[in-house]
Amino acid sequence: MLPRGAAPVDYLIQGGTHFMILSRAEEISRILNGLAEAE
């Protein structure tokens, strides 16, 4: 993982960990779907 300040942050998921792909799947899915629609 990169330190929080090492790169610009477009989306910050509070309490996010490596497991957030499963534990925060709905939130991540909304973000990715929004990005896909913007293209």
Side-chain angles (χ1 to χ4, degrees):
M1 298 195 81
L2 298 173
R4 185 172 169 178
V9 177
D10 293 324
Y11 299 94
L12 179 62
I13 298 177
Q14 295 296 327
T17 65
H18 284 91
F19 190 69
M20 74 181 171
I21 300 300
L22 297 174
S23 65
R24 307 290 288 269
E26 288 183 31
E27 185 176 355
I28 294 170
S29 181
R30 277 194 302 271
I31 292 169
L32 294 175
N33 286 335
L35 291 171
E37 289 175 3
E39 288 187 18

